[in-house]
Every structure is written in structure tokens, then in C-alpha cells.
Amino acid sequence: MRQRIFIPVILLFMAVIGTSCVSQKKIDKNFAGFRPNVTRLELTMDDYQYLGDVTIEVEYKTYLGIPKIYTVNGQAYDPRFYRQTDIAFGRFIKLGPLSKALYKVTDTYPDADYLVPASFTDNVEHMLGGRIHHRTLTVKVYAINKASSTAAAAEQQAQVDALNAKNAELQQQVNALQQELNSTKEALEKAELDARINAQKNNKRR
């Protein structure tokens, strides 16, 4: 008897638990192109201003394949205190220890927008079990030509001023035509009124 009562209670309890665990989820997907695959900014060298050249250098030794840096930009290198600047020249340009000397570029030209590696030298002194390298890299530095952007803004403002002047001239012509139309309308109304008065006078005389 107890078993007959106990089994339905268990089934009812499991049904309540099952219904309480039921949830609803809605997933919306949109595969429309909300953004372009490629964004390209078209610039030429006419849009840049040449600032100058910067030469960075590093001297280091490799002994049994282990590098040890001596100087960076002519100053003694301390591995405990050094500066690091990351500039991506491209995957085909391997700077190696020269990357620790890149800070000279940003210090010399903090407003630089475009950097071009121009020349690279590596003076190698062979020694027993290792080599001493003295590497230099010359970088040409450019910035976006502010003068061209200013000239473009001035030209655009001149075009806007010309359009405003043209609109003002057209508005004056419209106002003059409106005045002429009003004068013609008044003259016609007056002529019509005079004609009516003359007609009434002629009728009275008869």
C-alpha cells in the first residue's frame, strides 16, 4: 500500500522538477555586411611633409649564441634600466637588438606619422667563439602635411562662401521680381477700379 502511494508521489515530484528546469532561449543572427571587409585610406607622398632622418645604433656581442648588449645609441646599456619602443616596420625587417634603440626616433620627432627605414649597416668583428656587432639603421621621418589640410579647408570654406554669395544674389533677384509683381498687381487693380468707375459714370449720363 505504501509503495503504491510512494511511486505516484515520486513521479509528481520529478514532473515538478522537470517543469521548473524548462527555460526558453532565442537566438537572432544577422549575416548582413554591417562593416566593410577592407578599409583603405588613400594617401600619396604629396600628403606628407619630410621632417628628417634619424640614425639609431646598437653594439652587442654574441658569444656561443648568447647576445650581450654593450651600448644603445652611444650610451652604456643597463639591462635593469632600459627603454622600449615598439614600431612595426613590416614582417620582413628584423631589428633584433636594434629595437631597443627605437626610442630615439620618437624622442627626436614626437609628431611623426610615417617612418621609412632607409639604410641598414652591420659591422661585424669576428672573435674566438663569438662576434661583436655594431648595427645602425637610418629612418626617414614624415608627418602629415598640415599645410595641405589647411589649404583644403580654406578651399572648402571659399566654396561655401561662394555658394552663400550666389544664394544671396538669387534672393535679391527673387525679392526684386516679387516687388515688380506686386507693383504690376496694384497697377492692374487700379486700372480695373478706374474702368469700373468710368463705366458707372457713363451709365449715369445715359
Side-chain angles (χ1 to χ4, degrees), residues 2-3 23-25 32 40 48-49 76 85 97 111 134 161 176:
R2 291 181 179 179
Q3 187 176 3
S23 62
Q24 184 178 1
K25 181 170 65 173
R40 179 178 297 173
Y48 288 99
Q49 178 184 2
T85 302
D111 298 329
H134 184 265
D161 295 339

Side-chain angles (χ1 to χ4, degrees), residues 75-171:
Q75 299 180 356
Y77 175 74
D78 188 349
R80 298 173 301 173
F81 305 98
Y82 65 91
R83 297 175 59 185
Q84 182 172 345
T85 302
D86 295 328
I87 298 176
F89 287 113
R91 60 180 180 176
F92 298 107
I93 299 177
K94 306 298 183 181
L95 294 176
L98 265 175
S99 61
K100 297 185 181 299
L102 286 174
Y103 67 86
K104 184 178 179 181
V105 178
T106 55
D107 286 354
T108 307
Y109 297 104
D111 298 329
D113 297 310
Y114 184 47
L115 305 176
V116 178
S119 61
F120 170 82
T121 61
D122 186 11
N123 294 324
V124 183
E125 180 182 349
H126 295 271
M127 54 182 293
L128 183 62
R131 300 175 182 176
I132 297 178
H133 295 261
H134 184 265
R135 291 187 173 183
T136 61
L137 175 67
T138 301
V139 180
K140 291 186 177 296
V141 184
Y142 298 86
I144 294 178
N145 194 351
K146 305 298 188 300
S148 61
S149 60
T150 304
E155 183 180 357
Q156 184 178 5
Q157 185 62 39
Q159 293 177 356
V160 172
D161 295 339
L163 290 175
N164 291 334
K166 187 66 175 179
N167 291 333
E169 183 180 357
L170 292 175
Q171 187 63 40

Side-chain angles (χ1 to χ4, degrees), residues 23-29:
S23 62
Q24 184 178 1
K25 181 170 65 173
K26 182 181 179 181
I27 300 176
D28 294 329
K29 292 185 179 181

Side-chain angles (χ1 to χ4, degrees), residues 175-188:
N175 293 336
L177 291 175
Q178 186 66 37
Q179 292 178 358
E180 184 178 356
L181 180 61
N182 292 335
S183 299
T184 303
K185 182 178 179 181
E186 292 176 358
L188 290 174

